[in-house]
Amino acid sequence: MKYEAFNRQIIKLVGGKKNIKAVVHCMTRLRFTLVDDKKAQTDKIKNMDGVIDVVNNDVAYQIIVGTHVTDVYDELVDMLGMTSSNELTNNDEGKKKNPVKAVMDVVSESMTPLLPPIICAGLLAALLSIVSLTGLISDSSSTYKIFDTVREAVFFFLPVLMAMSASKRLGVDPYLGVTLAVTIVSQSINGVKGLNLFGVPLPQITYANSFIPILLALWFMGYVTKFVKKIVPDKVQYFFTPLLIMVIMIPATLMVFGPLGFYFGEGIVGFFNLLMKYVGSWLVMMLYSALQPFIVMFGAGNFIMPIVASLIATEGYDPAFISSCTISDIAVGGAMLGYFLRAKKNSKQKQLFGTVTLSAIFGVTEPAIYGVFVKYRRPFVAVMIGGGLGGLFAGLTGVKAYSVAWGLFGLPSYIGKGNFTNLWLMVSAVIISFVGAAIAAYMLGIPVDSEDSEQILENDKKDITINENGLRAVPLKSVVTGNLIQLSEVNDKAFSSGGLGKGIAIQPTENNIYSPINGTVSVVFPTKHAIGINGDNGEEILIHIGIDTVQLEGKYFDLNIKQGDIVKAGQQIGKVDFKKIKEAGYDITTMVVVTNADDYTDVIPSENKQVNNSDSSMNIVLG
């Protein structure tokens, strides 16, 4: 197994198999539902080779690994011994859960497996539009109709697909869940007028092309399943449990959950139609196109899919969201092209920017967002400018998405029923977003951290020393007064192995924390135990205060800096009560690491045994 070692480490760092309730994946990330999020060692996971970033919010515990996530996930499933794509063999009954988080978990994890067939249907519709317009296949031919049936079937049988995806997650036998779904979409029930059950008239409801009614029914079916299993003797459960469940669920679905879900879906569509009618689709599209990278970053990108599915099922098109997704994705690609053109000398940066440019244009933006946007921040502004302009244009001109297909390959689906005007307007919106974001990113520029180190050395030599051998070096002052020790002596393999970079460690004897270098604060962890500083000469410095002190959640830490602040070497940036941390049972050893040490000739620790904030703790040799 190619990813066995990687997955084994992931399982360990998220708290072990018993801490994993469920796991699914999307295009670039593993989405865990953990029993206790606090058991996951997020910092260590972020530092693993092959992990782009970790996002932990009310949706899920998400580990971003890249577009090869499917291969990683398949091996992870085998190693965990999962009984399905949504449930492990462990049990957490009786555990109190946040109801909002529970709903978000179910919707997100149930929609994710449905994306491949939905995207397939969208791209197939785009392909059929092209071949029919070229005259290769007539839209009245049997060949065209057969392939178009795939697209129609995906949405018509959406309740069945949802039942397959959500049943195990909601504690339902998947075959019974699918049985309920195919029953309500059958021609005897779906959209039939004048039905009654036990003499009670039933509303005329079209269950096909929807998913909310079956999702609500499956939720209730989970409770019914538990109840029936308790009252039916073990010896006859095989025969009577399925029967009783279906006898209860058919009336409950047709009388309660079906109508409730149908009208709820109609309400969602009605709300957005009113919003677009009286406020304007231009505002919705402009805001979503501008802000989608933030939505993706928080792992909530899939939450528009239920709305999109409802809109396409009822209106025949989506007037806002899928178009906005494509416009925003292309804007991300434009921003990365702007950075690619701006990075003149740094070959590593050019390679990174070029790679993520292509993936964003094709509809996968996570590598750009987590690999570049989070680090440099300015591309967010570029996408807000470019994406906002493109979304505004698309909204004002009434662009519509006739199927679920985003990115460059999804553009032909905007032809619709021969509507070339809609296609050209969408292409224009995409060009506006791409060019606008590229120009904005180029003008905003790359923050000075490693772009033109040679020019930096010429312009700012006050931090650079030259020894007797003619080697140039940047001295780093001590971050805290104390006893200096070798990094290899630290009781944390992530640091002692040198895996995070070269550096030193200090056993503090005072509480004040100082900046070791002139630069910009790149990150301050919410728990305040770790600080990142990008030096003026391109150095990337990580200050890690104590070992496992992330568990203190900021207690005993008092920092007076925030992300983006400019700091000077020797400047006090905070205070830490090391005595109380030590009394709480934690190792107070403080590590200072040059995380991009490979970019330099060497990192040499000071020979001093004791250091204070005015002393040099190590030197970065530039060559």
Side-chain angles (χ1 to χ4, degrees), residues 33-218:
T33 301
L34 300 179
V35 176
D36 185 357
D37 289 358
K38 293 180 180 180
K39 290 184 179 180
Q41 301 179 58
T42 302
D43 287 348
K44 291 185 178 180
I45 296 173
K46 285 184 177 182
N47 289 322
M48 285 177 57
D49 289 337
V51 173
I52 297 174
D53 201 359
V54 176
V55 177
N56 183 21
N57 53 31
D58 287 340
V59 181
Y61 190 90
Q62 303 163 76
I63 302 176
I64 298 91
V65 299
T67 53
H68 61 290
V69 67
T70 301
D71 296 332
V72 177
Y73 174 80
D74 288 342
E75 293 186 13
L76 180 63
V77 168
D78 291 338
M79 294 174 67
L80 289 171
M82 297 177 69
T83 58
S84 75
S85 62
N86 288 318
E87 183 182 59
L88 299 187
T89 54
N90 60 320
N91 187 358
D92 69 335
E93 287 189 25
K95 178 180 174 63
K96 291 184 178 180
K97 298 173 63 178
N98 183 315
V100 176
K101 183 179 186 298
V103 171
M104 294 175 73
D105 285 345
V106 170
V107 174
S108 176
E109 294 174 11
S110 299
M111 285 302 303
T112 297
L114 303 189
L115 292 181
I118 290 175
I119 293 172
C120 172
L123 293 177
L124 185 58
L127 179 62
L128 288 173
S129 297
I130 295 173
V131 296
S132 64
L133 290 170
T134 58
L136 294 174
I137 300 177
S138 171
D139 59 5
S140 61
S141 68
S142 296
T143 302
Y144 182 96
K145 291 178 180 179
I146 288 171
F147 279 102
D148 193 46
T149 302
V150 176
R151 175 189 61 80
E152 293 178 351
V154 167
F155 287 99
F156 185 89
F157 291 106
L158 192 60
V160 180
L161 296 175
M162 177 57 73
M164 293 174 61
S165 174
S167 290
K168 277 289 186 180
R169 182 69 178 83
L170 295 170
V172 173
D173 183 298
Y175 295 99
L176 289 180
V178 169
T179 300
L180 180 62
V182 296
T183 299
I184 62 176
V185 299
S186 67
Q187 62 181 0
S188 300
I189 295 176
N190 183 55
V192 176
K193 186 177 181 180
L195 289 177
N196 69 80
L197 185 65
F198 304 125
V200 179
L202 300 175
Q204 182 182 1
I205 293 177
T206 300
Y207 290 100
N209 301 308
S210 65
F211 74 92
I212 298 177
I214 190 64
L215 193 59
L216 291 176
L218 291 173

Side-chain angles (χ1 to χ4, degrees), residues 260-335:
L260 183 63
F262 176 76
Y263 293 124
F264 182 73
E266 290 289 294
I268 293 175
V269 174
F271 170 77
F272 281 101
N273 283 337
L274 286 174
L275 183 66
M276 293 171 192
K277 180 179 179 180
Y278 293 104
V279 178
S281 60
W282 63 269
L283 179 62
V284 176
M285 295 184 76
M286 181 181 70
L287 291 176
Y288 199 90
S289 299
L291 300 177
Q292 187 188 227
F294 294 100
I295 297 171
V296 171
M297 188 171 67
F298 288 107
N302 287 346
F303 285 110
I304 64 162
M305 294 308 301
I307 301 170
V308 170
S310 297
L311 287 168
I312 292 179
T314 56
E315 305 294 325
Y317 60 85
D318 166 25
F321 295 103
I322 292 299
S323 304
S324 299
C325 287
T326 296
I327 291 168
S328 183
D329 289 349
I330 300 296
V332 170

Side-chain angles (χ1 to χ4, degrees), residues 563-580:
Q563 185 176 341
D565 285 353
I566 305 297
V567 293
K568 297 294 182 182
Q571 172 186 334
Q572 185 175 342
I573 57 176
K575 200 169 185 178
V576 178
D577 194 331
F578 287 110
K579 182 180 179 181
K580 289 187 177 179

